[in-house]
Amino acid sequence: MPSFLDKAAESDKEIRKTQEKDPADLSGAKEPDWDNPDSWGSDGSDPDDSASGDAGDAPNRDGRQEQAPPAPPKQTSSPSSKRSRPARLPGRPRGPQRVPLTVRLLESTDRKLTEAVQQQQLNPQSIVEEALEAYFRRHKIKDPGADEGVA
């Protein structure tokens, strides 16, 4: 007579047979025929059935898949409009032009900046700009671009 463990194991096998196979489980996968790219599909079905959408593209000289050019961006305004950005909502004036800059801070400086943001109720952008302006004034550093506008 089978033991309780044998019955439980048999029951588990029956349950696994009826459950859907996990797509990430590669235990039953066979090695693809690397010499025949046409057989690389999951079941030989339509090659356009790929989730990435580029399975039907031919490889270029380097052996990489050629990327289809991205679709042109949809125009949200009339073609005669020369604005590159959508219009701002009423009551939200555009701020000054800014230059993106990336810096790395020490952990202690980052903690202090976070504390300053909480105490002063300002955003990090404003605090950093105020600190740089104070530094420039203290060291008498002038804006070299300010002289260009004077004629």
Side-chain angles (χ1 to χ4, degrees):
M1 179 169 189
S3 71
F4 175 75
L5 291 176
D6 293 335
K7 289 180 185 177
E10 190 64 35
S11 174
D12 283 349
K13 286 180 187 177
E14 291 298 322
I15 291 172
R16 285 190 193 120
K17 286 180 185 177
T18 61
Q19 289 178 339
E20 185 176 327
K21 185 176 184 270
D22 181 7
D25 182 16
L26 299 177
S27 61
K30 63 179 184 176
E31 183 76 17
D33 180 9
W34 295 110
D35 296 328
N36 185 6
D38 294 332
S39 70
W40 292 356
S42 59
D43 60 355
S45 63
D46 186 17
D48 294 333
D49 195 19
S50 169
S52 65
D54 63 356
D57 295 340
N60 63 14
R61 275 188 262 157
D62 298 337
R64 294 179 299 189
Q65 294 289 338
E66 290 189 24
Q67 298 286 332
K74 295 178 183 174
Q75 291 185 351
T76 56
S77 60
S78 66
S80 64
S81 171
K82 301 238 189 284
R83 296 175 68 141
S84 62
R85 294 183 181 175
R88 307 276 298 179
L89 295 175
R92 300 292 303 241
R94 188 175 306 281
Q97 182 70 27
R98 298 194 192 289
V99 177
L101 176 68
T102 303
V103 297
R104 295 177 186 264
L105 300 176
L106 296 171
E107 288 182 8
S108 61
T109 305
D110 184 48
R111 288 190 301 267
K112 291 175 193 174
L113 178 59
T114 302
E115 184 65 24
V117 166
Q118 292 172 354
Q119 286 181 8
Q120 301 297 318
Q121 297 295 311
L122 295 172
N123 60 22
Q125 176 83 40
S126 300
I127 294 172
V128 169
E129 284 181 351
E130 283 182 26
L132 285 172
E133 281 302 319
Y135 177 87
F136 297 148
R137 281 192 304 272
R138 183 173 45 239
H139 293 283
K140 297 178 176 58
I141 298 174
K142 305 252 188 230
D143 181 5
D147 294 337
E148 294 174 6
V150 178

